[in-house]
Structures are given as C-alpha cells and as structure tokens.
Amino acid sequence: MPTVSTRRVVITGMGAISPLGVGAAALWQGLREGRSAIGPLRHPDAERLRVKVAAQVPESFDPAAHIDERTLPLLDRTSEFALHAAREAVAQSGVDFAGGLGLRTAVIVGTGVGGETTQDEQSRRLYAENAQRAHPLTIVRLMTNASASQISIAYGLHGPTYAVASACASANHAIIQAAQMIRYGMADAAVTGGTEACLTYGALRAWEAMRVVADDTCRPFSANRRGLVLGEGAGIFVLESLEHAQARGATILAELAGTGMSADASDIVMPSAEGAATAMRLALAEAELNPQDVDYINAHGTGTQANDVTETRAIRLAFGAYADRLAVSSTKSMHGHALGASGALELVAAIGALRDSVVPPTANLDQVDPACDLDYVPNVAREMPVRAVLSNSFAFGGLNAVLALKRAP
C-alpha cells in the first residue's frame, strides 16, 4: 500500500448548485463575469425581517426533476442540494463504484446546521400552530449526517460516511478529512464537499441579532463594507488517489496538494490573525509550496469589519513580503456566505482559476480600506498565470481550514 508521502490526492469531478445557477459551470461562469447573485430576500416572512437581501438558489431549481420520487420525501432542502451536486460530480468524474470501489469510497459532507428548513417548519407547527405531533420523517430530514448518508445510499458507497460541522469551515474540514483518508490508504476515493440551506425565519432572526449582516450587499475589503450576506447551495467533489485516477484514465481537474487546520483557542467570534496564518503555513508545508509558488488566494472574505482586516494581516504573516504580489479575492461578494457550504463553492472557483488561468474578482469593491492593503482583484476578473491556489475558510469558534491546490499533474 502506498505510504502517506507518496499517495497524492486529485480531484476528478465537481458539482454545484448556487445562487449563480444550477451546476458548477454556471457558478464558475458567473464568478468569471463578476456577476453578483445577491438580491432581495425571497421568504414568506420577508416583511417581518430586518434582513432584506440574500444570495439564494434560483427559483427555477426543481428538485423533483433531479431526484427520485421515492427519495424526495426523505430530504430536507440541504440534502436536495447535496444530492444534486453529487450527481453532477460523479457524472463528470466518470467513476464506476462497482467492482469493489464502493467499499473503498468515503462520503464526508460538511454542513453548519444540517436540516434547518425542516427544523424551522416543524418548530412552527408545534409552537405557533399548536400541532400535537411532528412529521414522522422529521429526524431523517434534519439530522446533520443526512446529506452524507443519502449520497452513500444513492451510490452504494460503504466506506466511512459522516458529517462534519464546524460552522463556516465545515466544507473545507470535510474535504480535508476525505483527502487524509486517501493519503493514509483508508480509502481510494471519496465524495465530499459541503451543503447548506438555512435561510429560515429562525436562522435569519438569529443572524439579525448578531448585527453582522449587511442591509444592501456584500463588499469584502471595501471601506464601506456593512457585513456579510447570507447564501445557500452545495458543492460536491470526487477525490481519488493519483494512482487510481491515472489507472482508469480519468481527467484530473486539479491536485489537492496540501491542507492546513488550526484553532485560535482565543475567542468564540473574534478571529485571530495568527491562527489563520498557522493554517495557511501548514497547507503550504504539506503541499511543498513556497510562498512565491502561490499566485492566488480565494479569501474567506466575509465583508465584516473584523474578518477582512484580520485575514489581511494573516496573509501578510504567512506570506511575508510576497503578500504584495498575490492576487486575493472574495467570491462571497457574488455567491454570498453559504456558511457550511462556502468552502465548497469557493473550491469551484479555485479549480476554475487553475484550469482557466483566470482569477475571479472581488465584486462591489468601490472604496479602498487602508487597513486592507492587498491586491483584491477589484470588480473585474483577471487573466494571469495561476500555478497554485490557497482557499481559506475561517469559522466562528476560531476554527481555520485551508486547502492548497496545484495544477493537474
């Protein structure tokens, strides 16, 4: 069995559903165009909410058109997203799980809160409508592991299957866990990523109370930024060992060359520059990359006062003087902050940058903040050579997870 040092991990399939459209191609095209999907909140209780904008999956998405009618009643919206994205990723990879591979394939999916739509609906029934019982499928819809389990069932995958929940770092943590299983020989392939669908009345009220949500749009790194804009969606990927992918003649989208994780261990909401820098340094080290080998960082970039300044400082700590030569952008300015799914949507952007030599922009960046002093690729995508990329995810709880990608071998 290959050792950890020789077992490389590659990405052979990706799928997505996002506010920019159905499919990974729609997401990447929208990001290349610098097109923001942030708009007026669509919600039955919108008039009662102070949150007025969000980044939502298009109303044209019809889960019944993509998911078996026997399975659909078992699914919360978050699992609908995950299954749809998984189907696209598996199809693109061309992988066949028969012949024993299903026994050696892991399924690890990140989500910040799980089946929040189901939770909200059933709570409304019980507390507002005085219903005497919940829907009998409530538990199987809302449990945090539902999306991972449904993907496992759909494809007959018997490897390690579970959910990862680490707030806004959930997707990156899930992808890292999947990559480590392949590196250590515990699996030959994995279906992994993140999904989130929590634009519910209760969740929106909770975010209102934190006073970090913008009332107009998301402007990461801009002096006039007013906070984050909530989003939803899913990104799912097929990972394989390089040997396995090459043996079956798969098209390799990118190499997941390194990962880094750390905890700030300091404050439940206030980010630490040193904690984030540590995760970036670890990802560079595992990928055997020097700072000058990286051309682009897909930033966490939430558009809050605290995150953007702290992430800028963290990049300078990790990259030193070379930070001034990096292209850095936040695609949350276009697809919103999808919480546990954000890292997965941003991985689509990172892969696109590597494959097409195009860095997506930071939209809505119209006033320079002196405290945010890097090259944030304002408003318009940039064609440039991209050899390696970091993708950052930092979460409440002081949790940091960073992916390092290289061009396909």
Side-chain angles (χ1 to χ4, degrees), residues 339-365:
L339 307 179
S342 285
L345 299 182
E346 290 155 8
L347 182 53
V348 173
I351 292 170
L354 278 172
R355 289 174 60 81
D356 292 354
S357 296
V358 173
V359 171
T362 303
N364 309 312
L365 181 48

Short mmCIF file of all heavy atoms in Angstrom, two decimals, residues 339-365:
data_model
loop_
_atom_site.label_atom_id
_atom_site.label_comp_id
_atom_site.label_asym_id
_atom_site.label_seq_id
_atom_site.Cartn_x
_atom_site.Cartn_y
_atom_site.Cartn_z
N LEU A 339 -22.20 29.72 4.54
CA LEU A 339 -21.87 29.08 5.82
C LEU A 339 -21.13 27.75 5.59
O LEU A 339 -20.04 27.75 5.03
CB LEU A 339 -23.14 28.92 6.66
CG LEU A 339 -23.95 30.21 6.86
CD1 LEU A 339 -25.20 29.94 7.68
CD2 LEU A 339 -23.10 31.29 7.50
N GLY A 340 -21.71 26.62 6.00
CA GLY A 340 -21.01 25.35 5.88
C GLY A 340 -20.73 24.90 4.46
O GLY A 340 -19.93 23.99 4.24
N ALA A 341 -21.37 25.51 3.47
CA ALA A 341 -21.11 25.18 2.07
C ALA A 341 -20.14 26.13 1.39
O ALA A 341 -19.72 25.88 0.25
CB ALA A 341 -22.42 25.16 1.28
N SER A 342 -19.75 27.20 2.07
CA SER A 342 -18.96 28.24 1.41
C SER A 342 -17.65 27.71 0.85
O SER A 342 -17.27 28.00 -0.29
CB SER A 342 -18.68 29.39 2.38
OG SER A 342 -19.82 30.17 2.56
N GLY A 343 -16.92 26.93 1.64
CA GLY A 343 -15.64 26.42 1.16
C GLY A 343 -15.79 25.56 -0.08
O GLY A 343 -14.90 25.54 -0.94
N ALA A 344 -16.92 24.86 -0.20
CA ALA A 344 -17.14 24.02 -1.38
C ALA A 344 -17.42 24.86 -2.61
O ALA A 344 -16.90 24.57 -3.71
CB ALA A 344 -18.30 23.06 -1.12
N LEU A 345 -18.23 25.92 -2.48
CA LEU A 345 -18.47 26.80 -3.61
C LEU A 345 -17.16 27.49 -4.03
O LEU A 345 -16.88 27.67 -5.21
CB LEU A 345 -19.52 27.85 -3.26
CG LEU A 345 -20.91 27.33 -2.88
CD1 LEU A 345 -21.86 28.49 -2.60
CD2 LEU A 345 -21.48 26.42 -3.96
N GLU A 346 -16.36 27.84 -3.03
CA GLU A 346 -15.09 28.51 -3.32
C GLU A 346 -14.05 27.57 -3.91
O GLU A 346 -13.16 28.02 -4.65
CB GLU A 346 -14.61 29.19 -2.04
CG GLU A 346 -15.47 30.37 -1.68
CD GLU A 346 -15.49 30.75 -0.20
OE1 GLU A 346 -14.70 30.17 0.57
OE2 GLU A 346 -16.31 31.60 0.17
N LEU A 347 -14.16 26.28 -3.65
CA LEU A 347 -13.27 25.33 -4.30
C LEU A 347 -13.54 25.26 -5.79
O LEU A 347 -12.62 25.09 -6.59
CB LEU A 347 -13.40 23.94 -3.66
CG LEU A 347 -12.49 22.85 -4.21
CD1 LEU A 347 -11.03 23.26 -4.22
CD2 LEU A 347 -12.69 21.55 -3.43
N VAL A 348 -14.80 25.42 -6.19
CA VAL A 348 -15.11 25.51 -7.62
C VAL A 348 -14.36 26.70 -8.23
O VAL A 348 -13.79 26.60 -9.33
CB VAL A 348 -16.62 25.64 -7.85
CG1 VAL A 348 -16.93 25.92 -9.33
CG2 VAL A 348 -17.35 24.37 -7.40
N ALA A 349 -14.35 27.82 -7.51
CA ALA A 349 -13.63 29.00 -8.00
C ALA A 349 -12.13 28.76 -8.08
O ALA A 349 -11.47 29.17 -9.04
CB ALA A 349 -13.93 30.19 -7.10
N ALA A 350 -11.58 28.08 -7.07
CA ALA A 350 -10.14 27.80 -7.06
C ALA A 350 -9.74 26.90 -8.21
O ALA A 350 -8.71 27.11 -8.88
CB ALA A 350 -9.75 27.18 -5.72
N ILE A 351 -10.55 25.87 -8.46
CA ILE A 351 -10.27 24.96 -9.59
C ILE A 351 -10.38 25.71 -10.90
O ILE A 351 -9.55 25.54 -11.81
CB ILE A 351 -11.21 23.75 -9.54
CG1 ILE A 351 -10.90 22.87 -8.32
CG2 ILE A 351 -11.11 22.92 -10.81
CD1 ILE A 351 -11.95 21.80 -8.05
N GLY A 352 -11.41 26.55 -11.03
CA GLY A 352 -11.57 27.33 -12.25
C GLY A 352 -10.38 28.24 -12.51
O GLY A 352 -9.91 28.37 -13.65
N ALA A 353 -9.87 28.87 -11.46
CA ALA A 353 -8.71 29.75 -11.63
C ALA A 353 -7.50 28.98 -12.13
O ALA A 353 -6.77 29.44 -13.02
CB ALA A 353 -8.40 30.43 -10.29
N LEU A 354 -7.29 27.79 -11.57
CA LEU A 354 -6.15 26.97 -12.01
C LEU A 354 -6.30 26.51 -13.45
O LEU A 354 -5.35 26.56 -14.24
CB LEU A 354 -6.04 25.74 -11.10
CG LEU A 354 -5.33 25.89 -9.77
CD1 LEU A 354 -5.50 24.62 -8.95
CD2 LEU A 354 -3.84 26.19 -9.96
N ARG A 355 -7.49 26.06 -13.81
CA ARG A 355 -7.69 25.46 -15.13
C ARG A 355 -7.75 26.49 -16.25
O ARG A 355 -7.29 26.24 -17.36
CB ARG A 355 -8.98 24.62 -15.13
CG ARG A 355 -8.85 23.33 -14.32
CD ARG A 355 -10.17 22.60 -14.20
NE ARG A 355 -10.73 22.20 -15.49
CZ ARG A 355 -10.36 21.12 -16.18
NH1 ARG A 355 -9.40 20.34 -15.71
NH2 ARG A 355 -10.94 20.82 -17.33
N ASP A 356 -8.32 27.66 -15.95
CA ASP A 356 -8.54 28.66 -16.99
C ASP A 356 -7.58 29.83 -16.92
O ASP A 356 -7.62 30.72 -17.77
CB ASP A 356 -9.97 29.19 -16.91
CG ASP A 356 -11.01 28.15 -17.28
OD1 ASP A 356 -10.62 27.05 -17.70
OD2 ASP A 356 -12.21 28.44 -17.15
N SER A 357 -6.71 29.85 -15.90
CA SER A 357 -5.79 30.98 -15.70
C SER A 357 -6.55 32.30 -15.63
O SER A 357 -6.20 33.30 -16.27
CB SER A 357 -4.72 31.02 -16.81
OG SER A 357 -3.90 29.87 -16.76
N VAL A 358 -7.61 32.28 -14.85
CA VAL A 358 -8.45 33.46 -14.63
C VAL A 358 -8.75 33.55 -13.14
O VAL A 358 -9.25 32.59 -12.54
CB VAL A 358 -9.77 33.38 -15.42
CG1 VAL A 358 -10.69 34.55 -15.06
CG2 VAL A 358 -9.51 33.38 -16.92
N VAL A 359 -8.48 34.71 -12.55
CA VAL A 359 -8.78 34.94 -11.14
C VAL A 359 -10.11 35.68 -11.05
O VAL A 359 -10.25 36.77 -11.61
CB VAL A 359 -7.67 35.74 -10.46
CG1 VAL A 359 -8.09 36.17 -9.05
CG2 VAL A 359 -6.39 34.91 -10.39
N PRO A 360 -11.11 35.11 -10.36
CA PRO A 360 -12.38 35.81 -10.22
C PRO A 360 -12.21 37.04 -9.34
O PRO A 360 -11.34 37.08 -8.47
CB PRO A 360 -13.29 34.76 -9.56
CG PRO A 360 -12.35 33.87 -8.83
CD PRO A 360 -11.09 33.81 -9.65
N PRO A 361 -13.04 38.04 -9.53
CA PRO A 361 -12.84 39.30 -8.81
C PRO A 361 -13.50 39.33 -7.44
O PRO A 361 -14.27 38.44 -7.08
CB PRO A 361 -13.52 40.32 -9.73
CG PRO A 361 -14.67 39.55 -10.31
CD PRO A 361 -14.14 38.14 -10.51
N THR A 362 -13.20 40.37 -6.70
CA THR A 362 -13.99 40.77 -5.54
C THR A 362 -14.98 41.81 -6.04
O THR A 362 -14.59 42.93 -6.39
CB THR A 362 -13.12 41.37 -4.43
OG1 THR A 362 -12.12 40.41 -4.05
CG2 THR A 362 -13.95 41.75 -3.22
N ALA A 363 -16.24 41.45 -6.11
CA ALA A 363 -17.25 42.39 -6.60
C ALA A 363 -17.54 43.45 -5.53
O ALA A 363 -17.26 43.27 -4.35
CB ALA A 363 -18.53 41.64 -6.96
N ASN A 364 -18.10 44.55 -5.97
CA ASN A 364 -18.56 45.64 -5.09
C ASN A 364 -17.44 46.32 -4.33
O ASN A 364 -17.71 47.01 -3.33
CB ASN A 364 -19.61 45.12 -4.08
CG ASN A 364 -20.72 44.33 -4.73
OD1 ASN A 364 -21.30 44.77 -5.72
ND2 ASN A 364 -21.02 43.15 -4.20
N LEU A 365 -16.22 46.16 -4.78
CA LEU A 365 -15.09 46.78 -4.09
C LEU A 365 -14.89 48.18 -4.67
O LEU A 365 -14.21 48.37 -5.67
CB LEU A 365 -13.82 45.93 -4.27
CG LEU A 365 -12.53 46.41 -3.59
CD1 LEU A 365 -12.76 46.78 -2.14
CD2 LEU A 365 -11.46 45.35 -3.71
#
